[in-house]
Amino acid sequence: MAADLDVLNLLIIAGGTLAVPILVFVASFLFWPSALIKVYYWYWRRTLGLQVRYADCSGYRFCYSFRGKPGMRPSILMLHGFSAHKDTWLTVVKYLPKHLHIVCVDMPGHEGTSRTNTEDYSIQGQVRKIHQFVEIIRLNRKPFHLVGTSMGGNVAGVYAAWYPAEICSMTLICPDGIRHPCETKFDNHLQDLEHSNYTLNIPLIPTTPEEMEDMFRLCSHVRFKIPQQILQGLVDFREPHNPFYLEVFMEIIGEKSRYALQEHLHLITAPLQVIWGKQDQVVDVSGATVIAEVLPGCRVDLLENCGHSVVMERPCRTAKLILDFIITQQNARGGTKKSS
């Protein structure tokens, strides 16, 4: 009988132990969904072996995550898009070999990187800051592979034009900064915004769960079913930063930045790969043709049934395409050296 009581007590204790994290999870989901999202990113960084570090320069701080060490393959620097953060790349990093040296940085003013009132958030201003980051962590000790998506693609292209000796190859994913001949749903939104003198809501700066869902529909061809609580958590996560996002948005659609990539295409000398979702409603896929006309040697990979959020919709395919391109370019450089 005593043994039975001991077993019963053990089961009660075990049940109570399990109940605590379950209750915490449920409470977080219902009442603090934004906290749950932070825990989610922390968990996946830890699972994938990414470490978060800070790099300081004259009072300015960059936040970045990394995995691996410089080796035979080039290091990879990944630049996210507007209003995103370094964890945007987790879905792609998951499918890249663990021995590769990968660096994902929070773009200027985003997430853990410093945000100042005097900062230049134009594309050119961001390029200067990213170059400062590269120098601080000494990533440019030898040429590296640069990846950028959307706004980050615009920054990456101008970076490659300004600092060609630092880039061995690069991948642009649905890059902004191109005069694409075909209009998109987002272009129509922009025209409406301009006519309203920017008094209408901006689709990329949601303030409610409904607007957040609309943003996902705009950016993704694949329809993700996201619970209302998670949508609310994402809004709570982003809303304190919306005034900053508005500032950056106005900079990157301004005359100085809007077509910065196209204006610098002719200066890019590094081997270039372009990945684009055929159903992109933000930056039309016809931009890939524009790039190929200026740089006919570039490799273009168009993805079926995929929108603007390529890294979220096709992470495995994206990782494979990037890796194949890096290996192909490295083998080509090796072949050139042998023949010479």
Side-chain angles (χ1 to χ4, degrees), residues 97-113:
K98 289 192 174 180
H99 66 269
L100 289 180
H101 181 222
I102 298 169
V103 178
C104 307
V105 63
D106 284 326
M107 297 295 281
H110 288 70
E111 191 75 3
T113 292

Side-chain angles (χ1 to χ4, degrees), residues 87-298:
D87 294 326
T88 299
W89 297 105
L90 291 174
T91 52
V92 175
V93 171
K94 176 182 176 181
Y95 295 102
L96 290 172
K98 289 192 174 180
H99 66 269
L100 289 180
H101 181 222
I102 298 169
V103 178
C104 307
V105 63
D106 284 326
M107 297 295 281
H110 288 70
E111 191 75 3
T113 292
S114 291
R115 183 179 302 172
T116 67
N117 295 328
T118 58
E119 198 63 42
D120 178 6
Y121 292 110
S122 68
I123 295 301
Q124 294 83 348
Q126 293 191 58
V127 169
R128 294 186 190 96
K129 275 298 178 189
I130 294 301
H131 185 245
Q132 188 179 50
F133 168 72
V134 165
E135 289 190 314
I136 293 169
I137 68 168
R138 302 180 67 192
L139 188 64
N140 55 355
R141 282 179 292 181
K142 67 176 187 178
F144 57 91
H145 183 84
L146 182 59
V147 182
T149 183
S150 195
M151 179 191 77
N154 198 348
V155 172
V158 176
Y159 190 105
W162 283 12
Y163 308 104
E166 297 185 2
I167 309 299
C168 63
S169 53
M170 65 183 305
T171 301
L172 302 181
I173 304 172
C174 303
D176 195 9
I178 296 291
R179 287 187 180 88
H180 42 271
C182 302
E183 286 191 348
T184 64
K185 188 175 180 179
F186 183 67
D187 291 324
N188 295 330
H189 281 304
L190 273 182
Q191 291 171 14
D192 291 341
L193 280 167
E194 288 168 357
H195 292 150
S196 73
N197 200 24
Y198 297 96
T199 57
L200 295 175
N201 288 337
I202 298 171
L204 299 182
I205 309 179
T207 58
T208 66
E210 291 73 27
E211 289 178 0
M212 178 64 70
E213 195 166 27
D214 288 341
M215 187 183 79
F216 279 120
R217 288 198 188 102
L218 176 67
C219 294
S220 303
H221 178 71
V222 176
R223 291 291 174 257
F224 297 97
K225 291 185 178 179
I226 304 174
Q228 189 75 7
Q229 286 296 107
I230 295 298
L231 290 171
Q232 182 63 60
L234 290 168
V235 170
D236 294 344
F237 190 72
R238 292 167 57 100
E239 198 161 28
H241 309 289
N242 280 352
F244 164 72
Y245 294 149
L246 177 60
E247 179 185 352
V248 176
F249 181 81
M250 298 306 293
E251 283 279 3
I252 63 178
I253 66 167
E255 185 177 347
K256 182 179 179 182
S257 299
R258 196 162 191 169
Y259 303 115
L261 174 57
Q262 182 150 355
E263 292 162 1
H264 287 82
L265 278 176
H266 67 287
L267 298 173
I268 295 175
T269 57
L272 171 62
Q273 173 187 43
V274 178
I275 302 175
W276 220 302
K278 282 190 174 183
Q279 285 71 38
D280 193 337
Q281 297 184 90
V282 179
V283 187
D284 193 75
V285 66
S286 58
T289 303
V290 175
I291 295 173
E293 286 174 354
V294 179
L295 300 169
C298 75

